[in-house]
Amino acid sequence: MPHKRAKHSDRVAKRFAAGQDLAPGGDDGFFSDMPKGAMRILQGAKVQEAYRAKLQAKKKAEQDAAAKAKTKAKVAADTNPSGGANEDASELTIRPGEKLRDFNARVEQAMASDIHASFRSATRSQINARKRERRKLRAAGIDPDADPEDADKEEAARKAKADKAAALQANEPSKADLKRQRQTIQQTGEIKDFAKASQVKKINDVAQAPPTLTRAPRGESVQAKTRKARLIAKITGNDEDEAENKVKQAEKARQKGRVPQKLAAATAAASSKKRKNDAHDATGEPSMARQRVLDEERQKAIQAYRQVKEKKIRESEFKRAKKA
């Protein structure tokens, strides 16, 4: 700019290179020794005019670019109505006088939807891949969230189980072998071991077996027989007490036939003796033996009481004598 000048070191170097005793130059005059601030004030109108011209040129360039873009978009819309937006986004160019920062912002704004869609698509692809991997692990019988060590143990156990199942399946005869064995039996009539009926009883066979009675069922009780006899007598119009007495007599006769005669007599004697003792105790007069035992216990208690009393008397007399 007109008011700018070289820095002091450059001016000193230039002056030193030019030497001394030189003729005055064309630029030497009024502004050669004037301070920079004064030069800026005096040349302010010129600087402002240059700045306004620059702004006007920039504005005109933007208007021309906008008019061209509008015309181009209109032509593209007339020729291809569906692809106008994509064409504008694909042909983004920097405008005359536009800063690079503004151009980058405009490009990002125009392509924001495409960038977001691409990002979501990539993220969704990763999520779907992880989900597919987890489904594969679950189908294989492995917990995807388990610890790696536990997963290794589970994998080893699963392989061992699969090997055991494969070994059992290999030991079992195939359908073709069974068919050949059946044909051999039909032709020769020989019964192999596998065709014999098993004699082992299972729990289900025992549980579903019919019941077996080891004892005869009990007869009716005396109360049931008496109740039934009274009911029949009431229905027929006979005496209920007489029917009850008949039932009791029949029951006594039945019991008498079942119990031996000596056992019945001993039982009757014991019961009569017990009744006599109970009656004797009820009068309040103990037997001679019991009376003798009671007297002995009474004498022992009296003797013990007297000994304790005499001991206390001696102790009290000894204390009084000691105090005196």
Side-chain angles (χ1 to χ4, degrees), residues 11 26 151 155 241:
R11 287 187 276 116
E155 182 67 18
D241 296 335

Side-chain angles (χ1 to χ4, degrees), residues 28-49:
D28 193 9
F30 180 75
F31 296 107
S32 59
D33 296 331
M34 185 176 294
K36 188 185 295 184
M39 291 177 63
R40 187 178 294 116
I41 292 171
L42 294 175
Q43 295 181 353
K46 188 177 181 180
V47 171
Q48 291 177 2
E49 186 179 357

Side-chain angles (χ1 to χ4, degrees), residues 48-267:
Q48 291 177 2
E49 186 179 357
Y51 180 70
R52 291 192 190 97
K54 182 179 178 180
L55 288 179
Q56 190 174 4
K58 182 179 179 181
K59 187 176 180 179
K60 186 177 180 181
E62 290 179 356
Q63 290 177 356
D64 295 341
K68 289 181 181 179
K70 188 175 181 181
T71 305
K72 191 174 182 180
K74 187 176 181 180
V75 173
D78 294 339
T79 56
N80 188 9
S82 60
N86 295 331
E87 188 176 357
D88 292 341
S90 61
E91 294 183 2
L92 287 173
T93 56
I94 191 168
R95 297 169 183 173
E98 185 180 14
K99 294 182 180 179
L100 186 61
R101 179 181 60 189
D102 299 337
F103 175 69
N104 291 335
R106 189 160 55 87
V107 171
E108 290 178 359
Q109 185 177 3
M111 296 185 174
S113 59
D114 297 337
I115 294 172
H116 185 62
S118 301
F119 178 75
R120 288 189 62 184
S121 177
T123 307
R124 178 55 58 185
S125 300
Q126 294 177 0
I127 293 173
N128 292 337
R130 286 197 295 268
K131 286 184 178 179
R132 286 193 295 270
E133 187 66 23
R134 290 171 67 88
R135 282 196 293 269
K136 288 180 181 178
L137 292 175
R138 287 197 185 96
I142 301 173
D143 187 7
D145 299 328
D147 193 12
E149 296 181 358
D150 297 340
D152 295 339
K153 292 180 181 178
E154 290 180 0
E155 182 67 18
R158 186 181 63 81
K159 289 182 179 179
K161 188 176 180 180
D163 295 340
K164 186 176 180 181
L168 291 175
Q169 188 176 3
N171 293 331
E172 292 181 357
S174 62
K175 292 183 178 180
D177 296 338
L178 294 175
K179 186 176 181 180
R180 284 194 296 271
Q181 290 177 3
R182 285 195 300 270
Q183 292 176 356
T184 304
I185 292 171
Q186 291 175 0
Q187 293 175 2
T188 60
E190 182 182 359
I191 300 176
K192 301 293 183 180
D193 292 337
F194 72 90
K196 294 180 181 179
S198 176
Q199 300 297 328
V200 179
K201 289 186 178 180
K202 297 182 180 180
I203 297 176
N204 198 22
D205 298 338
V206 177
Q208 293 182 355
T212 55
L213 301 177
T214 57
R215 295 180 61 185
R218 295 181 179 181
E220 292 180 322
S221 62
V222 180
Q223 291 82 1
K225 291 180 180 179
T226 304
R227 186 170 57 253
K228 188 180 293 184
R230 291 178 69 88
L231 181 60
I232 294 172
K234 188 175 182 180
I235 293 172
T236 56
N238 298 327
D239 189 5
E240 297 180 8
D241 296 335
E242 185 179 356
E244 184 177 355
N245 292 332
K246 287 182 180 180
V247 171
K248 289 182 179 180
Q249 289 176 4
E251 186 67 22
K252 286 181 180 180
R254 190 174 68 85
Q255 293 292 338
K256 186 176 181 180
R258 293 178 61 183
V259 180
Q261 191 69 23
K262 292 182 179 180
L263 182 59
T267 305

